[in-house]
Amino acid sequence: YFEAKAGPGIEKLREYLKENTFVAYLLGKKNSGKGTYSKMFAEVIAPNRVEHFSIGDMIRGVDEELADPGRKKELMNFLEKEYRGWASLPEITSALEKRNTRTLLPTELILALVKREIGRREKKALFIDGFPRGMDQISYSLFFRDLIGYREDPDIFILIDLPEAVIDERIKYRRVCPECQTPRNLKLHTTKEVGYDEKKKEFYLICDNTGCPASAAGGQGAKMISKEGDESGIKPIRERLDMDAELMQKAISLHGIPKIILRNAVPVEGAEKIVDDYEITPEYSYEWDEKNKKVKVIEKPWIIKDDEGVPSYSLLPPPVLLSLIKQMVEILHL
């Protein structure tokens, strides 16, 4: 697919990455696919030369360090030498130990931790996921590459435009295997087998991960379940979504740094001129065949309303990645 649609561009990027790197900041609302697109880019272009760097994963790693006395001491020694900021080291330690998903850590601390983490790794092209997160971090991002030793590398903002209706249904219908944690979506990413609870009159997905403990012995996969609160969709993260939208608007207005804009949705009207049918996200619904005691799976193109109320198709990841590849070639002047 990618070779057919962007073969020359892919070769140019591979050649570029043999001797060069870049820093790309992923900006998009929660669940917009930042990790998906950057990891797919690496897989298609150069797995050994591109890395998805998640600030959230880094902080979760710090949580593990804090739980280990020996590693915590090493971390504190590092911060004593490298951290510069308004909060004292005891205050920083307390912020780390008492943090929650609603409170952002001080930017100066994030920068120190990022510098340490990147210093441990081989230099590669970076997709930064999770920075900037606050309005104050937008200005820091303009000089971020200097702070992490990528002074001569191109830096790019990648803005992911995703209708909130897509995020809402991704959350409401997501399911996870309780045994192996494999994620799926009842409406958008079905499994090979689907079950039906006749008492509850509910359809459910059956995990099809071959490595799942539930099916390891040749049995049926586990019944996939929803996470508590998922039925509320985007309501619990409304504040976060608004902040993400504000950040993206701020980033668009910045001068001096190139931008890539990725759009997940296209209007239904005229879509046939832009995308192929197989590039559109399918929607799955189910019917129970009482006579044969089987679930019938029905597939059709998924139509949502974008944030302006326009009926639109949501795209699968490959065509969005294709846009990323083509725009990256242009920005790097390849």
Side-chain angles (χ1 to χ4, degrees), residues 62-110:
V62 170
D63 289 342
E64 295 177 5
E65 290 183 73
L66 291 171
D68 182 309
R71 296 175 69 195
K72 179 179 179 179
K73 184 177 180 181
E74 290 180 12
L75 174 62
M76 292 302 108
N77 288 339
F78 167 81
L79 291 175
E80 282 181 6
K81 294 178 182 178
E82 300 293 336
Y83 167 73
R84 302 288 185 275
W86 300 108
S88 67
L89 194 56
E91 289 172 327
I92 286 297
T93 305
S94 177
L96 281 168
E97 293 176 333
K98 297 178 181 179
R99 73 178 186 87
N100 57 57
T101 56
R102 295 177 62 86
T103 305
L104 295 181
L105 292 170
T107 299
E108 295 84 3
L109 172 62
I110 294 293

Side-chain angles (χ1 to χ4, degrees), residues 268-283:
V268 171
E269 186 176 348
E272 70 280 356
K273 300 176 183 177
I274 305 171
V275 295
D276 294 311
D277 290 346
Y278 60 83
E279 295 176 312
I280 295 170
T281 301
E283 171 188 346

Side-chain angles (χ1 to χ4, degrees), residues 83-304:
Y83 167 73
R84 302 288 185 275
W86 300 108
S88 67
L89 194 56
E91 289 172 327
I92 286 297
T93 305
S94 177
L96 281 168
E97 293 176 333
K98 297 178 181 179
R99 73 178 186 87
N100 57 57
T101 56
R102 295 177 62 86
T103 305
L104 295 181
L105 292 170
T107 299
E108 295 84 3
L109 172 62
I110 294 293
L111 293 174
L113 292 172
V114 168
K115 184 178 179 181
R116 178 185 70 147
E117 187 62 29
I118 289 180
R120 294 170 169 175
R121 305 181 183 204
E122 177 187 353
K123 189 175 182 182
K124 299 179 181 181
L126 292 176
F127 285 92
I128 306 289
D129 182 355
F131 188 93
R133 268 288 303 276
M135 295 304 291
D136 66 311
Q137 293 180 353
I138 285 283
S139 56
Y140 277 98
S141 66
L142 299 178
F143 307 99
F144 188 82
R145 63 177 179 175
D146 297 354
L147 295 170
I148 62 173
Y150 280 61
R151 186 180 300 273
E152 302 302 324
D153 296 67
D155 53 353
I156 307 152
F157 275 143
I158 298 178
L159 308 162
I160 304 173
D161 181 17
L162 181 76
E164 289 191 356
V166 173
I167 302 172
D168 193 50
E169 300 214 351
R170 283 180 178 176
I171 295 173
K172 282 182 177 177
Y173 293 95
R174 67 183 171 188
R175 299 291 186 269
V176 65
C177 174
E179 297 289 335
C180 66
Q181 307 307 308
T182 295
R184 289 290 186 269
N185 189 291
L186 185 63
K187 187 172 183 177
L188 307 173
H189 190 182
T190 192
T191 48
K192 293 177 183 177
E193 292 186 57
V194 179
Y196 180 67
D197 187 321
E198 295 190 61
K199 288 185 178 180
K200 295 182 178 179
K201 298 188 182 302
E202 290 179 353
F203 296 98
Y204 59 88
L205 302 181
I206 299 170
C207 182
D208 54 6
N209 175 16
T210 54
C212 180
S215 58
Q220 189 179 56
K223 177 181 177 180
M224 305 188 88
I225 59 175
S226 60
K227 292 183 178 180
E228 184 178 355
D230 276 0
E231 68 280 358
S232 299
I234 62 175
K235 289 180 182 178
I237 59 170
R238 177 77 269 163
E239 186 178 337
R240 166 75 182 275
L241 294 177
D242 291 342
M243 172 61 77
D244 290 340
E246 188 178 357
L247 278 172
M248 290 178 68
Q249 286 300 317
K250 191 75 172 178
I252 287 173
S253 67
L254 283 172
H255 298 280
I257 182 167
K259 302 165 192 73
I260 288 174
I261 298 179
L262 303 179
R263 291 187 169 86
N264 168 274
V266 296
V268 171
E269 186 176 348
E272 70 280 356
K273 300 176 183 177
I274 305 171
V275 295
D276 294 311
D277 290 346
Y278 60 83
E279 295 176 312
I280 295 170
T281 301
E283 171 188 346
Y284 299 96
S285 58
Y286 311 94
E287 290 181 358
W288 176 240
D289 183 343
E290 181 66 38
K291 181 179 179 181
N292 296 305
K293 298 294 182 182
K294 291 178 65 176
V295 175
K296 180 182 178 182
V297 180
I298 302 163
E299 179 181 332
K300 64 179 181 180
W302 183 35
I303 298 177
I304 49 92

